[in-house]
Amino acid sequence: MSTSSSLHIVWLRNDLRAYDNAALYYAAAVAKSEPDSAVVALFIATAKSWQQHQMAPIKQDFIRRRVIQLQSELAEQGIALLALEAGHYNDCSSIFEQLSALGMVALYSQTEYELREQQRDKRITRQLEAAGITVNWYDRLCTMAPGSILTQSGDTYKVFTPFKRNWLARLAQQGVTCYPKVKSANYYNVSALSNQLTLPLMAACDNSSAAWPVTEQQVLEQMRLFCQQQVADYQQSRDFPALSGTSNLSAYLACGIISAQQCVNRLQMEAGAALEQEKSGASIWLSELIWREFYKHILVAYPDLIKHQPFQADTAAIRWRNSHTLFKAWCDGKTGYPIVDAAMRQLNQTGWMHNRLRMITASFLVKDLHVDWRWGEHYFMSQLIDGDFAANNGGWQWAASTGTDAAPYFRIFNPVTQSERFDPDGTFLRQFIPELLKLNSKEIHWPHKKGTPPAYWPAVVDHNEARKITLTLFTEAKNADG
Ligand SMILES: Cc1cc2nc3c(=O)[nH]c(=O)nc-3n(C[C@H](O)[C@H](O)[C@H](O)COP(=O)(O)OP(=O)(O)OC[C@H]3O[C@@H](n4cnc5c(N)ncnc54)[C@H](O)[C@@H]3O)c2cc1C
């Protein structure tokens, strides 16, 4: 196709997939009905903004690998993907200015919920509409869009269980829509376009995320197999980090390589009647997908969360002790508490951490080391391949007892009993802590016997003492607020 075509630009951000992509679907439908028009997908890597948001290098690498893969997947569908490099979100404006001059007639894209992303999108919308270009946003990050699940008085739910009840009722009423893969007859050669743009093409990546496959077929297959073969056991196995009892799909959901709608749809197809039983693995897995949506709804309704405010205002008065030495021991996996250390080493070495361990390590940082939960939230974000603001903030505020529907402040995980319960024979501990390989399954959870030479890093705090301090910190904050 020539450069004089009308260009329908699909701006891909957190929907890096060909299937169930509303923006691609509608762009292709409109372009098909117009003569001499073509669909061009666009991705803009914004490394400087990503760094400002603490996006982990492994996640940046993962996104870049996925974009390169998606280029060839979309090419098979007759759609070119132009991948450009622009430092900050602000630099996106100049790309759209240039594309407008080169024949862009419409923009199609999926909404993002975070504050800076929303500000960027409002700016681009104003800019394009002023140039006479049609702008179409699709709110598809959740199965049920934020604002659509409200209490009877029209408020956002602050408690998960009634939110979930309403969410399930809505699902029963309206089902879930997934868009088919599209094909375009007019392949537009973007090299003609990219030669005329002043911004460089997206840089290559160093492959630190190579352990994570990035083809859409592989990811869909992983999701299908989980729903077919593993979800029935989810309830029994999901809390044991030595087992692969969870779906491992969070990185794909966070970048939109698959959608929540595809997961719900597949789960309904495979699990059938099991979804009617509240305690079945399928129902519990669906609940986790609903937690994901709950935190996104909360983020949209309470945008101050992005400014790192606690959801429960009185907890802002807590006088965290914020020891840099203890924080470093936690980050490095050298606290002397094997389950905490193994978990942090899993995060540092693989970019992912099991959910049970995220709860244990978050509780430990806040309620044993008395470090502000926001330090942990930042650190997780800087390491996680699945880093997602809403889920991470929700998880941290839950563990710190500062959030909506959070753990009560007096509920404090005991890291040793958690370890004995969820890694009973120490398999997970041995995987990440070579120092403990020789200890038996009983000793390994607490390798600090009095009167024997130290077998491991000394414990940085005494859990029982730390627990008392936490109760005092929360009580003082409540009194100060009161
Ligand atoms: C302190 C803390 C920080 C967290 N940070 C993140 C994060 O940055 N990104 C992220 O995706 N999840 C986060 N979680 C939630 C959860 O730990 C991960 O989603 C889960 O471990 C991913 O593994 P999986 O894909 O095998 O999950 P599965 O158990 O198979 O669950 C399926 C999907 O449901 C969603 N999900 C599951 N549990 C939760 C939850 N508690 N909250 C929100 N969504 C959930 C995820 O998208 C997950 O992929 C955090 C939890 C805590 C306690």
Side-chain angles (χ1 to χ4, degrees), residues 158-195:
K158 297 189 191 76
V159 179
F160 176 71
T161 306
F163 172 85
K164 175 179 153 185
R165 216 177 289 125
N166 193 332
W167 191 101
L168 287 171
R170 190 64 63 86
L171 180 70
Q173 266 166 23
Q174 69 185 46
V176 55
T177 310
C178 289
Y179 291 87
K181 201 157 130 174
V182 292
K183 229 177 163 58
S184 165
N186 299 336
Y187 185 82
Y188 185 91
N189 186 354
V190 280
S191 57
L193 201 59
S194 56
N195 287 343

Short mmCIF file of all heavy atoms in Angstrom, two decimals, residues 158-195:
data_model
loop_
_atom_site.label_atom_id
_atom_site.label_comp_id
_atom_site.label_asym_id
_atom_site.label_seq_id
_atom_site.Cartn_x
_atom_site.Cartn_y
_atom_site.Cartn_z
N LYS A 158 -15.89 -1.23 48.87
CA LYS A 158 -14.59 -1.19 49.55
C LYS A 158 -14.25 -2.55 50.14
O LYS A 158 -13.18 -2.75 50.70
CB LYS A 158 -14.62 -0.14 50.66
CG LYS A 158 -14.84 1.27 50.13
CD LYS A 158 -14.64 2.29 51.24
CE LYS A 158 -15.12 3.66 50.83
NZ LYS A 158 -16.59 3.81 50.86
N VAL A 159 -15.21 -3.47 50.07
CA VAL A 159 -15.01 -4.80 50.62
C VAL A 159 -15.16 -5.81 49.49
O VAL A 159 -16.05 -5.69 48.64
CB VAL A 159 -16.03 -5.06 51.76
CG1 VAL A 159 -15.87 -6.45 52.34
CG2 VAL A 159 -15.88 -4.02 52.85
N PHE A 160 -14.26 -6.80 49.49
CA PHE A 160 -14.19 -7.70 48.35
C PHE A 160 -15.43 -8.60 48.19
O PHE A 160 -15.95 -8.73 47.08
CB PHE A 160 -12.93 -8.57 48.46
CG PHE A 160 -12.82 -9.59 47.37
CD1 PHE A 160 -12.55 -9.21 46.07
CD2 PHE A 160 -13.04 -10.95 47.63
CE1 PHE A 160 -12.47 -10.14 45.03
CE2 PHE A 160 -12.96 -11.89 46.60
CZ PHE A 160 -12.68 -11.48 45.31
N THR A 161 -15.90 -9.22 49.29
CA THR A 161 -16.94 -10.26 49.12
C THR A 161 -18.22 -9.75 48.44
O THR A 161 -18.68 -10.36 47.48
CB THR A 161 -17.23 -10.94 50.48
OG1 THR A 161 -15.97 -11.39 50.99
CG2 THR A 161 -18.15 -12.14 50.33
N PRO A 162 -18.80 -8.62 48.87
CA PRO A 162 -19.99 -8.13 48.13
C PRO A 162 -19.66 -7.70 46.71
O PRO A 162 -20.49 -7.85 45.80
CB PRO A 162 -20.49 -6.96 48.96
CG PRO A 162 -19.40 -6.63 49.91
CD PRO A 162 -18.55 -7.84 50.08
N PHE A 163 -18.45 -7.20 46.48
CA PHE A 163 -18.02 -6.85 45.12
C PHE A 163 -18.07 -8.10 44.25
O PHE A 163 -18.62 -8.12 43.15
CB PHE A 163 -16.60 -6.27 45.15
CG PHE A 163 -15.98 -6.05 43.79
CD1 PHE A 163 -16.22 -4.88 43.08
CD2 PHE A 163 -15.15 -7.02 43.20
CE1 PHE A 163 -15.66 -4.67 41.82
CE2 PHE A 163 -14.59 -6.82 41.95
CZ PHE A 163 -14.84 -5.64 41.26
N LYS A 164 -17.50 -9.18 44.81
CA LYS A 164 -17.43 -10.44 44.05
C LYS A 164 -18.84 -10.96 43.76
O LYS A 164 -19.13 -11.41 42.64
CB LYS A 164 -16.64 -11.46 44.87
CG LYS A 164 -16.60 -12.84 44.27
CD LYS A 164 -15.79 -13.79 45.11
CE LYS A 164 -16.28 -15.21 44.92
NZ LYS A 164 -15.62 -16.16 45.79
N ARG A 165 -19.72 -10.86 44.76
CA ARG A 165 -21.10 -11.36 44.56
C ARG A 165 -21.75 -10.63 43.39
O ARG A 165 -22.34 -11.23 42.50
CB ARG A 165 -21.90 -11.13 45.85
CG ARG A 165 -22.88 -12.24 46.14
CD ARG A 165 -23.60 -12.03 47.45
NE ARG A 165 -22.76 -12.22 48.63
CZ ARG A 165 -22.59 -11.32 49.60
NH1 ARG A 165 -23.20 -10.14 49.56
NH2 ARG A 165 -21.82 -11.58 50.63
N ASN A 166 -21.62 -9.31 43.39
CA ASN A 166 -22.21 -8.48 42.34
C ASN A 166 -21.55 -8.79 40.99
O ASN A 166 -22.21 -8.89 39.95
CB ASN A 166 -22.01 -7.01 42.74
CG ASN A 166 -22.85 -6.07 41.90
OD1 ASN A 166 -23.17 -6.37 40.76
ND2 ASN A 166 -23.18 -4.92 42.45
N TRP A 167 -20.23 -8.96 41.02
CA TRP A 167 -19.45 -9.27 39.80
C TRP A 167 -19.96 -10.58 39.18
O TRP A 167 -20.18 -10.67 37.97
CB TRP A 167 -17.98 -9.37 40.19
CG TRP A 167 -16.96 -9.42 39.06
CD1 TRP A 167 -16.19 -8.39 38.63
CD2 TRP A 167 -16.59 -10.56 38.28
NE1 TRP A 167 -15.37 -8.82 37.61
CE2 TRP A 167 -15.59 -10.15 37.37
CE3 TRP A 167 -17.00 -11.89 38.24
CZ2 TRP A 167 -14.99 -11.00 36.45
CZ3 TRP A 167 -16.41 -12.75 37.31
CH2 TRP A 167 -15.42 -12.30 36.44
N LEU A 168 -20.17 -11.59 40.05
CA LEU A 168 -20.61 -12.90 39.55
C LEU A 168 -22.03 -12.81 38.98
O LEU A 168 -22.35 -13.45 37.96
CB LEU A 168 -20.56 -13.95 40.66
CG LEU A 168 -19.15 -14.40 41.07
CD1 LEU A 168 -19.20 -15.26 42.33
CD2 LEU A 168 -18.46 -15.15 39.93
N ALA A 169 -22.87 -12.01 39.64
CA ALA A 169 -24.25 -11.85 39.14
C ALA A 169 -24.21 -11.21 37.75
O ALA A 169 -24.94 -11.61 36.83
CB ALA A 169 -25.06 -10.99 40.11
N ARG A 170 -23.33 -10.23 37.60
CA ARG A 170 -23.19 -9.55 36.30
C ARG A 170 -22.68 -10.53 35.23
O ARG A 170 -23.15 -10.54 34.10
CB ARG A 170 -22.23 -8.37 36.47
CG ARG A 170 -22.15 -7.44 35.28
CD ARG A 170 -23.47 -6.74 35.04
NE ARG A 170 -23.82 -5.89 36.16
CZ ARG A 170 -23.41 -4.63 36.32
NH1 ARG A 170 -22.65 -4.09 35.39
NH2 ARG A 170 -23.76 -3.92 37.35
N LEU A 171 -21.77 -11.37 35.62
CA LEU A 171 -21.23 -12.35 34.66
C LEU A 171 -22.35 -13.30 34.21
O LEU A 171 -22.47 -13.61 33.01
CB LEU A 171 -20.10 -13.17 35.31
CG LEU A 171 -19.45 -14.21 34.40
CD1 LEU A 171 -18.64 -13.54 33.29
CD2 LEU A 171 -18.54 -15.16 35.18
N ALA A 172 -23.17 -13.72 35.19
CA ALA A 172 -24.28 -14.63 34.84
C ALA A 172 -25.26 -13.95 33.88
O ALA A 172 -25.79 -14.58 32.97
CB ALA A 172 -24.99 -15.08 36.11
N GLN A 173 -25.46 -12.65 34.06
CA GLN A 173 -26.40 -11.91 33.20
C GLN A 173 -25.86 -11.70 31.80
O GLN A 173 -26.51 -11.95 30.81
CB GLN A 173 -26.60 -10.50 33.76
CG GLN A 173 -27.77 -10.31 34.68
CD GLN A 173 -27.58 -8.95 35.39
OE1 GLN A 173 -26.89 -8.06 34.92
NE2 GLN A 173 -28.22 -8.84 36.54
N GLN A 174 -24.63 -11.18 31.74
CA GLN A 174 -24.15 -10.71 30.43
C GLN A 174 -23.07 -11.57 29.78
O GLN A 174 -22.72 -11.36 28.64
CB GLN A 174 -23.68 -9.25 30.53
CG GLN A 174 -22.42 -9.08 31.35
CD GLN A 174 -22.05 -7.61 31.53
OE1 GLN A 174 -22.90 -6.80 31.84
NE2 GLN A 174 -20.77 -7.28 31.33
N GLY A 175 -22.54 -12.56 30.52
CA GLY A 175 -21.49 -13.40 29.96
C GLY A 175 -20.23 -12.60 29.69
O GLY A 175 -20.08 -11.48 30.19
N VAL A 176 -19.35 -13.16 28.88
CA VAL A 176 -18.10 -12.47 28.62
C VAL A 176 -17.84 -12.46 27.11
O VAL A 176 -18.08 -13.45 26.42
CB VAL A 176 -16.95 -13.12 29.42
CG1 VAL A 176 -16.82 -14.59 29.17
CG2 VAL A 176 -15.62 -12.46 29.17
N THR A 177 -17.41 -11.30 26.62
CA THR A 177 -17.19 -11.17 25.16
C THR A 177 -15.70 -11.23 24.86
O THR A 177 -14.91 -10.53 25.49
CB THR A 177 -17.68 -9.78 24.68
OG1 THR A 177 -18.98 -9.59 25.18
CG2 THR A 177 -17.63 -9.64 23.17
N CYS A 178 -15.32 -12.06 23.90
CA CYS A 178 -13.94 -12.05 23.40
C CYS A 178 -13.98 -11.77 21.90
O CYS A 178 -14.80 -12.34 21.19
CB CYS A 178 -13.26 -13.39 23.64
SG CYS A 178 -12.91 -13.71 25.37
N TYR A 179 -13.09 -10.90 21.44
CA TYR A 179 -13.09 -10.54 20.01
C TYR A 179 -12.22 -11.52 19.22
O TYR A 179 -11.14 -11.91 19.68
CB TYR A 179 -12.54 -9.12 19.83
CG TYR A 179 -13.48 -8.08 20.37
CD1 TYR A 179 -13.43 -7.69 21.70
CD2 TYR A 179 -14.45 -7.52 19.55
CE1 TYR A 179 -14.30 -6.74 22.20
CE2 TYR A 179 -15.33 -6.58 20.05
CZ TYR A 179 -15.25 -6.19 21.37
OH TYR A 179 -16.12 -5.26 21.88
N PRO A 180 -12.68 -11.90 18.02
CA PRO A 180 -11.85 -12.81 17.21
C PRO A 180 -10.63 -12.09 16.64
O PRO A 180 -10.57 -10.86 16.62
CB PRO A 180 -12.81 -13.22 16.08
CG PRO A 180 -13.82 -12.14 16.01
CD PRO A 180 -13.94 -11.52 17.38
N LYS A 181 -9.70 -12.90 16.17
CA LYS A 181 -8.49 -12.38 15.51
C LYS A 181 -8.92 -11.77 14.17
O LYS A 181 -9.82 -12.28 13.52
CB LYS A 181 -7.60 -13.59 15.26
CG LYS A 181 -6.16 -13.29 15.05
CD LYS A 181 -5.39 -14.54 15.37
CE LYS A 181 -4.41 -14.88 14.30
NZ LYS A 181 -3.55 -15.99 14.62
N VAL A 182 -8.27 -10.66 13.80
CA VAL A 182 -8.69 -10.03 12.55
C VAL A 182 -7.64 -10.25 11.46
O VAL A 182 -6.49 -10.56 11.74
CB VAL A 182 -8.86 -8.50 12.74
CG1 VAL A 182 -10.03 -8.22 13.63
CG2 VAL A 182 -7.59 -7.85 13.28
N LYS A 183 -8.09 -10.07 10.22
CA LYS A 183 -7.16 -10.15 9.09
C LYS A 183 -7.35 -8.90 8.24
O LYS A 183 -8.48 -8.44 8.06
CB LYS A 183 -7.47 -11.40 8.26
CG LYS A 183 -6.20 -12.18 8.00
CD LYS A 183 -6.39 -13.46 7.26
CE LYS A 183 -5.08 -13.92 6.69
NZ LYS A 183 -3.99 -14.16 7.60
N SER A 184 -6.25 -8.34 7.78
CA SER A 184 -6.40 -7.16 6.93
C SER A 184 -5.88 -7.51 5.53
O SER A 184 -4.84 -8.15 5.39
CB SER A 184 -5.59 -6.01 7.52
OG SER A 184 -5.45 -5.01 6.56
N ALA A 185 -6.63 -7.07 4.53
CA ALA A 185 -6.22 -7.37 3.15
C ALA A 185 -5.13 -6.41 2.69
O ALA A 185 -4.38 -6.70 1.77
CB ALA A 185 -7.43 -7.27 2.24
N ASN A 186 -5.03 -5.26 3.34
CA ASN A 186 -4.09 -4.22 2.88
C ASN A 186 -2.88 -4.13 3.79
O ASN A 186 -2.90 -3.39 4.77
CB ASN A 186 -4.77 -2.85 2.90
CG ASN A 186 -5.96 -2.81 1.97
OD1 ASN A 186 -6.03 -3.59 1.03
ND2 ASN A 186 -6.89 -1.93 2.27
N TYR A 187 -1.84 -4.87 3.51
CA TYR A 187 -0.63 -4.76 4.34
C TYR A 187 0.06 -3.45 4.00
O TYR A 187 0.34 -3.15 2.84
CB TYR A 187 0.32 -5.94 4.08
CG TYR A 187 1.51 -5.90 5.01
CD1 TYR A 187 1.39 -6.40 6.31
CD2 TYR A 187 2.72 -5.35 4.61
CE1 TYR A 187 2.47 -6.34 7.18
CE2 TYR A 187 3.80 -5.29 5.48
CZ TYR A 187 3.66 -5.79 6.76
OH TYR A 187 4.72 -5.73 7.63
N TYR A 188 0.32 -2.66 5.02
CA TYR A 188 0.92 -1.35 4.80
C TYR A 188 2.40 -1.45 5.16
O TYR A 188 2.75 -1.84 6.27
CB TYR A 188 0.22 -0.33 5.69
CG TYR A 188 0.70 1.07 5.47
CD1 TYR A 188 0.07 1.90 4.54
CD2 TYR A 188 1.77 1.58 6.19
CE1 TYR A 188 0.51 3.19 4.34
CE2 TYR A 188 2.21 2.87 5.99
CZ TYR A 188 1.58 3.67 5.07
OH TYR A 188 2.02 4.94 4.86
N ASN A 189 3.24 -1.11 4.23
CA ASN A 189 4.68 -1.23 4.48
C ASN A 189 5.18 -0.07 5.35
O ASN A 189 5.32 1.04 4.87
CB ASN A 189 5.42 -1.26 3.13
CG ASN A 189 6.89 -1.53 3.35
OD1 ASN A 189 7.36 -1.59 4.49
ND2 ASN A 189 7.61 -1.70 2.25
N VAL A 190 5.44 -0.38 6.63
CA VAL A 190 5.76 0.73 7.53
C VAL A 190 7.17 1.28 7.36
O VAL A 190 7.49 2.31 7.93
CB VAL A 190 5.57 0.38 9.02
CG1 VAL A 190 4.14 0.47 9.43
CG2 VAL A 190 6.21 -0.90 9.38
N SER A 191 8.01 0.61 6.58
CA SER A 191 9.36 1.17 6.45
C SER A 191 9.27 2.54 5.76
O SER A 191 10.02 3.45 6.09
CB SER A 191 10.30 0.22 5.72
OG SER A 191 9.76 -0.07 4.47
N ALA A 192 8.31 2.67 4.85
CA ALA A 192 8.11 3.97 4.20
C ALA A 192 7.77 5.02 5.25
O ALA A 192 8.26 6.15 5.22
CB ALA A 192 6.99 3.87 3.18
N LEU A 193 6.97 4.59 6.22
CA LEU A 193 6.53 5.51 7.27
C LEU A 193 7.67 5.80 8.24
O LEU A 193 7.95 6.95 8.57
CB LEU A 193 5.38 4.81 8.01
CG LEU A 193 4.40 5.63 8.81
CD1 LEU A 193 3.71 6.65 7.93
CD2 LEU A 193 3.35 4.69 9.41
N SER A 194 8.33 4.73 8.68
CA SER A 194 9.36 4.93 9.71
C SER A 194 10.53 5.77 9.18
O SER A 194 11.16 6.50 9.93
CB SER A 194 9.86 3.59 10.27
OG SER A 194 10.33 2.78 9.24
N ASN A 195 10.78 5.68 7.87
CA ASN A 195 11.85 6.51 7.29
C ASN A 195 11.55 8.00 7.43
O ASN A 195 12.45 8.82 7.44
CB ASN A 195 12.02 6.21 5.79
CG ASN A 195 12.67 4.87 5.60
OD1 ASN A 195 13.27 4.35 6.54
ND2 ASN A 195 12.55 4.29 4.41
#
